[in-house]
Amino acid sequence: EAGVAQSPRYKIIEKRQSVAFWCNPISGHATLYWYQQILGQGPKLLIQFQNNGVVDDSQLPKDRFSAERLKGVDSTLKIQPAKLEDSAVYLCASSYTGGRTGELFFGEGSRLTVL
Amino acid sequence: ILNVEQSPQSLHVQEGDSTNFTCSFPSSNFYALHWYRWETAKSPEALFVMTLNGDEKKKGRISATLNTKEGYSYLYIKGSQPEDSATYLCASSNAGNNRKLIWGLGTSLAVNP
């Protein structure tokens, strides 16, 4: 079974530039998550999708971050314009909805450095 | 407790030592407790998802216990190996709030050969 795919793995940009991350979840997983993990902190949920609908985006900085999952499969996360404090690992995860466990399957992450 | 707290923050042990970490979480309206292992440059991997008070789970040399009434879980590693070096994250959810996972800051384990 293929895992969660993310790209790019690494990205270096200057502040005020834009960047986009892509995620392809495990086939059949209806729920998709984007997390931001800043060094020394726990993962912070940015947005959660159920199919192509948004379940939770309460911690997404909507003035600069946007995310979409148009066909209920893959997803993109965009930052425009980037700030220095956006330097982090952006993790995508998916889960199968229907099971009690709700185990998350993660991609390898996209490490963003903003200079 | 309103947040998920993990201790210690970091740990250095020798190969062959056994070790354990603690995760404290809000016990009110508890739903599930997750443990993940995150090795450098790899994706976080689920170790256990636990839901029942008193539950104990085991995977190889790693085991976990759960006390939902007092709000804590222990993760044990028996006979640590260098490949166990990773950050161990726990997260809990409650039955409300869309069962949203609240994450701890992790315990960073380094096993010296």
Side-chain angles (χ1 to χ4, degrees):
Chain A
E1 176 181 82
V4 176
Q6 286 190 248
S7 67
R9 288 291 309 278
Y10 304 94
K11 189 73 176 181
I12 301 174
I13 62 174
E14 294 187 349
K15 60 183 179 183
R16 291 188 289 275
Q17 287 187 321
S18 62
V19 62
F21 303 114
W22 174 83
C23 173
N24 191 29
I26 291 174
S27 177
H29 282 194
T31 308
L32 185 147
Y33 312 79
W34 282 103
Y35 282 93
Q36 179 193 57
Q37 201 265 337
I38 294 174
L39 189 64
Q41 300 181 17
K44 170 186 169 183
L45 179 67
L46 294 176
I47 190 166
Q48 177 183 340
F49 292 97
Q50 180 77 13
N51 296 307
N52 61 347
V54 175
V55 173
D56 185 346
D57 63 356
S58 56
Q59 297 189 94
L60 186 74
K62 297 180 184 63
D63 57 333
R64 299 184 300 106
F65 286 64
S66 64
E68 59 182 16
R69 192 185 185 200
L70 292 176
K71 297 183 179 179
V73 181
D74 57 350
S75 175
T76 55
L77 175 71
K78 296 179 181 178
I79 307 174
Q80 182 180 13
K83 293 185 175 181
L84 296 176
E85 58 262 35
D86 298 333
S87 294
V89 175
Y90 291 85
L91 289 166
C92 178
S94 68
S95 68
Y96 169 70
T97 301
R100 177 172 171 80
T101 65
E103 174 183 346
L104 270 60
F105 295 82
F106 285 90
E108 291 181 318
S110 295
R111 182 176 295 276
L112 173 66
T113 302
V114 182
L115 303 175
Chain B
I1 296 177
L2 298 179
N3 296 317
V4 174
E5 298 173 358
Q6 291 189 247
S7 63
Q9 183 176 357
S10 64
L11 196 56
H12 292 254
V13 301
Q14 290 298 124
E15 182 175 355
D17 288 349
S18 293
T19 187
N20 64 85
F21 323 134
T22 303
C23 174
S24 301
F25 55 87
S27 56
S28 174
N29 218 12
F30 172 82
Y31 185 78
L33 189 284
H34 295 224
W35 280 103
Y36 291 83
R37 174 171 60 198
W38 192 1
E39 295 179 64
T40 301
K42 295 186 178 180
S43 54
E45 172 193 12
L47 291 173
F48 306 109
V49 179
M50 309 172 78
T51 57
L52 299 177
N53 184 45
D55 201 6
E56 294 187 29
K57 292 201 172 184
K58 188 175 181 181
K59 181 184 289 188
R61 294 178 292 98
I62 304 176
S63 60
T65 61
L66 179 66
N67 183 321
T68 63
K69 296 187 184 304
E70 297 183 37
Y72 65 84
S73 174
Y74 295 134
L75 187 77
Y76 300 92
I77 303 178
K78 182 178 178 181
S80 302
Q81 300 296 309
E83 58 264 32
D84 297 328
S85 297
T87 295
Y88 291 81
L89 291 163
C90 80
S92 77
S93 61
N94 61 33
N97 197 24
N98 194 39
R99 288 175 271 168
K100 180 177 177 178
L101 284 172
I102 307 299
W103 294 82
L105 299 183
T107 292
S108 176
L109 172 67
V111 182
N112 300 317

